[in-house]
Amino acid sequence: MLAEDPQVDIRSAVALRPDLTEEQRAAVRHDFDSTSVSHTLPWVEDLHGDADAMRRLAASSHPLVRRSVARARHLPADVVALLARDEDRAVRLFLAESCEDAPADMLLEVWRWWDGSFSHPGRPRNHPNFPRTGLLRYTGDPSGRMRRLVLDDPESTPADVARLARDPEAEVRRRAAEDTRLSPADAVRLLNDPEAQVRDTALCNPRLPARVLAALLHDRDTARAAVTNPAIPVPVLYRILTAAAAAVAALN
């Protein structure tokens, strides 16, 4: 009776009951906003270790059930293959973020439109199955997000870094600005990049010449970021801390 209630929110709640068969769930006329923030269904999470249950639920008609399956840390290969082709891209995103068995080709596909969240920073790029080789083929890709990957390839060279440091897209220049193969001249040039994120990243590059880094440390506008540069010798850091402590004490 509740599955046929005139109130859509009631039918939608019924559609997520754990005691329904998937045939019964599919018969419920529910409402689901695919753009809303979704959370893993607790009863699906409790079944993450049950391979047969994951196979059954991965084929569910309800996107939230499939999204909840995709949050499992490990899944059978056939379930992974099914979810990696899911029409709901949030299912593929959750698989990339949570499942250690996510396939490389799907991780690359997700990377084209997602580069990490607060809850899963770095995914899918830092996923263990994310491709580490063959990325030079994206050198001429029209998407800056894909061109960023070029410098992750172990066969990339300082010449690739230099080229991407002049890329028209800021996110690509920022990736070059953090590379330790960046030339000192390019590191200095990127300090004047039109985009603040590129400038801030260049401030932390250890290839900055010592005289330039010293000047940045004496500038109130750049000191906070520049002090995190790994090229600063430890004795200098101690001197900075001592001077900062003395300044604070003088204020008190």
Side-chain angles (χ1 to χ4, degrees):
M1 181 178 65
L2 291 175
E4 297 177 357
D5 194 276
Q7 295 294 322
V8 67
D9 56 339
I10 293 178
R11 299 197 307 273
S12 297
V14 170
L16 293 174
R17 289 181 60 89
D19 52 356
L20 295 184
T21 66
E22 288 311 309
E23 290 74 16
Q24 290 172 325
R25 198 183 317 281
V28 179
R29 294 181 296 109
H30 66 269
D31 186 27
F32 179 71
D33 181 3
S34 62
T35 64
S36 63
V37 175
S38 60
H39 302 281
T40 305
L41 295 170
W43 63 268
V44 177
E45 186 174 11
D46 291 341
L47 294 170
H48 277 175
D50 185 332
D52 289 337
M54 293 296 95
R55 288 188 174 92
R56 180 179 72 256
L57 297 176
S60 175
S61 61
H62 203 298
L64 188 52
V65 174
R66 303 197 306 276
R67 290 181 184 187
S68 299
V69 173
R71 283 299 191 192
R73 184 174 182 182
H74 290 288
L75 288 167
D78 56 327
V79 175
V80 172
L82 179 63
L83 295 179
R85 303 189 303 270
D86 199 283
E87 62 182 10
D88 178 11
R89 77 175 192 170
V91 171
R92 305 195 301 275
L93 169 60
F94 291 173
L95 195 68
E97 289 184 333
S98 302
C99 185
E100 299 297 308
D101 307 306
D105 57 345
M106 188 212 72
L107 292 171
L108 273 174
E109 183 268 326
V110 171
W111 169 257
R112 285 188 175 273
W113 48 270
W114 189 262
D115 62 355
S117 62
F118 287 114
S119 58
H120 297 82
R123 290 293 176 102
R125 185 179 165 202
N126 67 359
H127 191 286
N129 292 342
F130 196 86
R132 309 297 172 196
T133 60
L135 300 175
L136 291 177
R137 69 181 184 273
Y138 295 116
T139 297
D141 196 279
S143 169
R145 190 178 294 261
M146 301 308 290
R147 295 197 299 277
R148 282 173 58 183
L149 297 178
V150 168
L151 300 185
D152 292 348
D153 194 303
E155 295 187 6
S156 63
T157 67
D160 294 313
V161 180
R163 183 177 64 258
L164 294 187
R166 291 167 173 76
D167 194 273
E169 293 195 34
E171 66 174 327
V172 183
R173 299 196 304 277
R174 185 184 182 188
R175 172 64 184 89
E178 70 183 14
D179 200 291
T180 56
R181 297 168 295 177
L182 186 70
S183 72
D186 278 336
V188 172
R189 183 177 57 79
L190 290 177
L191 292 175
N192 296 307
D193 193 272
E195 294 293 331
Q197 289 187 333
V198 178
R199 298 195 300 272
D200 290 344
T201 302
L203 282 169
C204 302
N205 195 297
R207 297 301 302 278
L208 282 174
R211 60 177 177 78
V212 174
L213 184 53
L216 295 169
L217 289 170
H218 284 87
D219 188 325
R220 288 179 178 271
D221 294 333
T222 57
R224 175 175 292 186
V227 77
T228 65
N229 194 303
I232 301 175
V234 172
V236 174
L237 288 174
Y238 277 115
R239 287 171 54 190
I240 293 173
L241 290 171
T242 300
V248 171
L251 291 175
N252 296 327

